[in-house]
Structures are given as structure tokens and as C-alpha cells.
Amino acid sequence: MAVLIRSCSSKSYGTNLTAPFQNPSIKRKNKLHRLGSSLTPNHGSICFFDGLICKVSSCVPDSDISTKEKLDNTIWSHEIKFCSNIPIKQSCSTDKEDKLQADSKHKDITLHFLEETDEKTLSKRLVALSRSNKTRSAFELYLSMEAFNLMPDAHACNSLLSCLLRNGSLPHALEVFDKMSRRDIATGHTYTLVLKAIAKNKGCDAAISLFNKLERDDSTKGKLDAVVYNTMFSIYAKSKDWVEAEKLWRELGKNSIKGTQLTYDLLISTFVQCSCADLAVEAYHESIRFGFEPSEATMKAIIATCTQEGNWEVALVVLRKMLDRGIKPNLIAFNSVINCLGKACQPDLAFSVYRTLNLSGLQPDMYTWYSLLSALYRSNRYLEVVKLFQRVKREAKSELDSHVYNVALLACQKQGLWAQALQLLWDMERCEVEVSTQSYNHVIFSCEDGGEVEVAFEVYRHMVQLGCDGDDFTYMSLIRCSISGSLWDEFLEILKHHIPSDASSYYIIHELCLQGMIGLAKSICAAMLKLGFKPDAKTRTLMLQHF
């Protein structure tokens, strides 16, 4: 059974099968194969294409073949007849959507002449080629079917679309998508594939623009399922666009689309990344209300964002839910909850979480101890802070850092335990823990509160010898110590190195006047006036009264 081709003229086209079936932009190559001795060149050629056999006659002009048809710019404007009189659909439509445009991107594409005309059979073959990653063959079969006015089904087109995208053929994939859209056979899976590909290759903004266009189109609204929405949620998460993510989330209910577990995981992730704690918690509670079980990563994210915002109630509930489900929280989650409880002045709950941490087999680190000590300190339980520090110092398997020492020094300062504070300072230096100006200040303040003004100056001199400079708090404490202890030499020594602020100057002049040191107060006042000192009303009254 051979294909007879009606030529448009008596001109010979040679041995290459080119012109009568060829669009100017598409090169149609026909692979010639021998089919045994029964066929000779005069009997025609056979084109094999992955199981599709097209028998094509020679293009040598035949006087028996009518030439009344004229060749135009359409692909199949001429008649095609088989010897067996089996009719083939003609693609004579002049509509733009039924024509294959002459485009340079098809210059290397080969169209094949199909003997099989059953759309279901050809669709199955298209699926098989696409799954085998035979991109070129699949796309040529698709175009050949279109040339014969045969339309693959939606499943076959989606398979081809996926194959083209996997192999980096985005322009061809968009061409297939456009034709599927115009013929109204695009599905939710189609939109998901295309949106992901556009976001990857052209950016999130291009994908968002396409999705907004699809949403406005009435013909596609019913096809945008939860998977398509999840694709957009993932794109919003990547671009950290929580505003659009929230809008799309609100539209789910309006469009009667029920979100999936992935929907809420993506929403929570987006809101957490954008520091929208309230929205993240709302999405979490909604997922629970709809019967979904949040993933471990989602629950950890909720704990992190709640502890950052000080929402210890939700953080504690989520932590307990993780334990009830048999999920073992990591040390970071435990420490975050303990620290949040400490800031909320809930030391008892903090120690309850700490005991759970121990039962889970995890070992506390420096952040754990710091959080527990801070919880006690914020609750004004200063003696318990000192006791816990001594215990931690004995039991800790690693050296304590400066943050843990500073909490203990603060507790000593509040209780006026200058001896314990001094001992902690020597321990820090002996263990080569970094000692900052703040640490020295805690010790100096403890000596001031304990009435050990001379010890405070010794600590200051030791601090200077080690190359650590004091700050305003340091000098103000030393000035108070010198005035209360009548250490005037030390007082003048401090004034040489530090110019008091206005508030400090008020205090100095007032104290000197109260102690009868009028001459010294007058000298200091005169020096400060030259430096731009502006006394307040009370100071001016004292100056007028005594000077």
C-alpha cells in the first residue's frame, strides 16, 4: 500500500522527499529503508519512526497523477490518497490555531507520514516515547499528528510536556502548553509543570504573572487544584513574598479548595522566614483543626518563631505535642523554650523542660545553663543563681563561658557578695575565660554595694594593668566609692582620666557640698563650666548658696 502524491507541476524534485509536503520552515527528512527484495526503488520508499511506518511513493512526476491542485503555504493543502482508499483527515482549516507556523525553531524538525490514524494508539506511543526521554522523536510525532489534524489526549500532551522540560526544551514545551490551552485540554498537572519551569528559568515574577493571568481566566479556574496552589506557595516561599502567600491562602477557602499537608508546611515555612509569627501560628492551628499532622521541621519552626516572639505558651504546647508523637526535639528546640520561659519569669516551667531534656538523653550545653541561670535571676532568686552556678561549675563537662559567669556576677552584685564576685573573677582569669569590662564592672559594683571601696579601686587598677579600659559606669562607680570613702587622691586620679557627664557632675557637686568639701566642689564646678557644663536648677542653687 503506497502513498500517491499529487504534484503541483511536472517539475522533478529529485530523489529527496521535500517539497509538496514541506512547509518552508520545516525540513522533512524521510529515512529510506529496504523492506526486502519485494520492494524496489520504483515501488516507493518506506519511512520508519519508532514503529510508525509511512509508505511514500517516489516524487518523480507521473503523467497518470492529476496536477490540478496548487501548492499553497499550508502544510497539507493538497490531497493525500492511499491505494486502499482509506481516507485521512484533511487539515484544510485556515484558522491560525490549526496551522503550523513557519518558525526557525522547527528548522531541524522532521515530519513523518503516519499510516496509523487512531488518536488513542498514537497517544500511547507518544507517552512511551516521552517516558523513554526520546525528546526529539516524541516532539516530531506530536507535530506529525498535528499535521494530520490528529490531537493527542491530555495525558499524552502532559507526558510530552514533562519530557521536554526535563531535557531543557522550554520553548517547545511552552509551544505545546499554548496549544493545549487554546484547545482547552490543559489540566492542573499541566499548569504545575509549566509554572515550575517558568519559575526556574525565568524567575518567580514571571511565574506569578502567569498564575495571576490563569486565575483571571474563567475557563481555567476549575482546573487550578491544590497541587497548583502548592506550586505557587513554594514559589512564594522561594521569593519570600508572604503578602501574596497570605492572599492565596485566603482564596483557598473562597474557591472551595481544601489545602493539603504540604500546603500548610509551605505556608508556615514562608511566614517563619518572613518573621510573621502570628500568621505562622494561625496556619499551624488551622492545619491541626483540619486534621493534619505537622511535620517535625514545621513544629521546630513554630517553636523557633514563638520563642523569638516570647509566645512561650504555644511553644510549650508544640514541644509537648512533639514528645507525645514520639518525635525527639533537638537541643536547640529545648534551649529555645527554656530561654523563652526564663524571659517570661517562669523558672519552674523552665526547670521542668530541663528535666525532660535530661530524660531524652541529650546533654545540656552552655546555652542551657545560661538560660536556667537567667530564669532564676529574672525572678529575683539571686542566691539560687549562685548555688546553681557552683553546681554547674562542678558538673559541667566543659569550661563555662563568660555569659554564664556574668549572670553569676550579677547575682553576687545584687546580694552584695563581693568576696564571691572577686573569687569568680579570679576563676575566670585562671581558666582563661574572656573577661570584659562588663565583668570587671560587676565586681566593682559588688565591692561598692558591700562597702569595700578600697577593694573596688584595687580591682580597677588590676583591670588597667591588663589593658582593659573602663567605661562611664566604671568611673561613676569609682567616683561614688571615692566620695563615700573620702578617698580624695583616688578621686582626683579618676577625674584626670575621665570627664564626668552632666548627670555625674550634678552628683559629684551635690555630694561634695553635703560633705562640706566646698573648695573642692568649687574647683570641680569651675573646671566643668569651662568644658561646657550646664548646671541644673538644684546645682545652680547650691552654687549660689555655697560659692
Side-chain angles (χ1 to χ4, degrees), residues 97-109:
E97 61 185 26
D98 293 330
K99 291 182 179 181
L100 188 61
Q101 300 296 328
D103 193 89
S104 59
K105 62 187 176 183
H106 289 158
K107 63 182 179 180
D108 294 327
I109 297 298

Side-chain angles (χ1 to χ4, degrees), residues 25-243:
S25 67
I26 301 178
K27 182 180 180 182
R28 294 185 174 81
K29 300 177 182 179
N30 291 280
K31 304 173 184 178
L32 304 179
H33 298 270
R34 299 183 66 89
L35 193 63
S37 59
S38 61
L39 288 177
T40 65
N42 293 329
H43 292 135
S45 303
I46 297 177
C47 175
F48 286 91
F49 175 70
D50 290 299
L52 307 180
I53 304 177
C54 296
K55 298 182 180 181
V56 185
S57 67
S58 173
C59 285
V60 178
D62 192 335
S63 58
D64 295 333
I65 299 177
S66 174
T67 58
K68 64 180 179 180
E69 290 84 1
K70 294 184 179 180
L71 182 67
D72 60 13
N73 289 330
T74 59
I75 295 178
W76 304 110
S77 60
H78 44 273
E79 281 188 355
I80 300 177
K81 292 185 179 181
F82 288 88
C83 294
S84 58
N85 296 324
I86 298 176
I88 291 184
K89 298 179 183 179
Q90 275 188 313
S91 179
C92 300
S93 174
T94 59
D95 295 336
K96 292 182 180 180
E97 61 185 26
D98 293 330
K99 291 182 179 181
L100 188 61
Q101 300 296 328
D103 193 89
S104 59
K105 62 187 176 183
H106 289 158
K107 63 182 179 180
D108 294 327
I109 297 298
T110 302
L111 288 186
H112 299 270
F113 303 98
L114 307 176
E115 182 180 74
E116 178 61 67
T117 60
D118 182 66
E119 291 181 343
K120 291 184 178 180
T121 303
L122 293 174
S123 295
K124 290 180 180 179
R125 293 174 182 174
L126 183 57
V127 171
L129 289 171
S130 300
R131 289 177 176 175
S132 301
N133 270 340
K134 297 180 179 179
T135 310
R136 182 184 178 87
S137 300
F139 191 57
E140 288 179 351
L141 175 57
Y142 173 79
L143 293 179
S144 300
M145 290 181 67
E146 278 206 329
F148 273 83
N149 201 22
L150 302 173
M151 189 59 202
D153 58 27
H155 176 56
C157 290
N158 284 339
S159 296
L160 174 61
L161 197 63
S162 180
C163 176
L164 291 170
L165 293 174
R166 279 198 309 271
N167 293 277
S169 300
L170 181 61
H172 290 161
L174 293 179
E175 179 185 350
V176 175
F177 169 68
D178 181 62
K179 292 176 181 177
M180 291 178 68
S181 299
R182 285 190 281 112
R183 289 170 178 167
D184 199 24
I185 63 170
T187 64
H189 184 55
T190 309
Y191 300 128
T192 299
L193 291 172
V194 173
L195 288 170
K196 285 182 178 179
I198 290 179
K200 180 180 179 182
N201 293 276
K202 297 186 178 182
C204 296
D205 291 340
I208 293 171
S209 176
L210 174 60
F211 178 77
N212 292 335
K213 180 180 178 182
L214 294 175
E215 269 203 319
R216 292 191 298 268
D217 190 349
D218 294 333
S219 63
T220 61
K221 280 186 177 180
K223 300 177 182 179
L224 302 180
D225 54 14
V227 179
V228 179
Y229 278 88
N230 288 346
T231 301
M232 290 309 302
F233 283 131
S234 66
I235 292 173
Y236 291 138
K238 184 177 180 181
S239 60
K240 295 184 180 180
D241 190 346
W242 67 270
V243 176

